[in-house]
Amino acid sequence: MKRRHLIVAVATLPLLARARGRPLVEVWKSPTCGCCKDWIAHLEANGFASKVHDTGNTGMRGRLGIPVALGSCHTALVGGYAIEGHVPAADVRRLLAERPQAIGLAVPGMPVGSPGMDGAVYGGRRDPYDVLLVGRDGSTRVFTSYR
């Protein structure tokens, strides 16, 4: 009987997160990726709730319509939008506030200095990168630039 209660409790976590005003970010990643874990921690520290699938992200990236060329190490879904890679929480919040007609946001590759790629191991290095808004036709435009 205790197992059934645990299953019910885990299944209701997304509902509780939304009820408390914390947008739920569902993430697909490799079970061994440390930078993905750091990105999730960044989102949680910035008011998001998370649900993580340690199953890899290639299949989900394709299902959500993110072009392969924009790929990174994790794919997420929040508020009906795809989030690919190390997108800062502020940009996810802006996306949810503005609600553009788009698939979502992407930070291709794994730029050093982006959330999750900014740990002590990088010695404070920050490479420039763009957060791209991915249109429904697969086109992109710069949503935010980090220099």
Side-chain angles (χ1 to χ4, degrees), residues 114-147:
S114 61
M117 293 293 295
D118 55 352
V121 69
Y122 300 105
R125 186 175 124 203
R126 293 200 166 293
D127 293 343
Y129 69 96
D130 293 326
V131 176
L132 303 175
L133 181 70
V134 182
R136 291 190 175 159
D137 62 356
S139 64
T140 62
R141 70 171 176 81
V142 174
F143 191 71
T144 308
S145 285
Y146 291 90
R147 301 288 172 232

Side-chain angles (χ1 to χ4, degrees), residues 16-142:
L16 291 173
R18 283 189 296 250
R20 292 187 179 139
R22 295 178 61 202
L24 176 67
V25 178
E26 195 165 3
V27 183
W28 288 265
K29 66 174 200 59
S30 163
T32 59
C33 187
C35 67
C36 295
K37 292 174 188 172
D38 291 345
W39 180 75
I40 294 164
H42 162 77
L43 288 178
E44 290 173 344
N46 283 278
F48 290 88
S50 65
K51 179 179 179 182
V52 179
H53 304 276
D54 287 328
T55 57
N57 69 317
T58 304
M60 186 52 66
R61 179 188 312 127
R63 285 192 286 284
L64 293 176
I66 296 289
V68 172
L70 302 179
S72 186
C73 57
H74 56 265
T75 302
L77 182 64
V78 59
Y81 289 102
I83 306 295
E84 182 69 22
H86 294 268
V87 176
D91 292 312
V92 176
R93 286 213 175 275
R94 179 179 156 210
L95 176 75
L96 295 175
E98 294 179 5
R99 309 268 336 144
Q101 297 293 314
I103 291 172
L105 298 175
V107 172
M110 299 167 65
V112 173
S114 61
M117 293 293 295
D118 55 352
V121 69
Y122 300 105
R125 186 175 124 203
R126 293 200 166 293
D127 293 343
Y129 69 96
D130 293 326
V131 176
L132 303 175
L133 181 70
V134 182
R136 291 190 175 159
D137 62 356
S139 64
T140 62
R141 70 171 176 81
V142 174

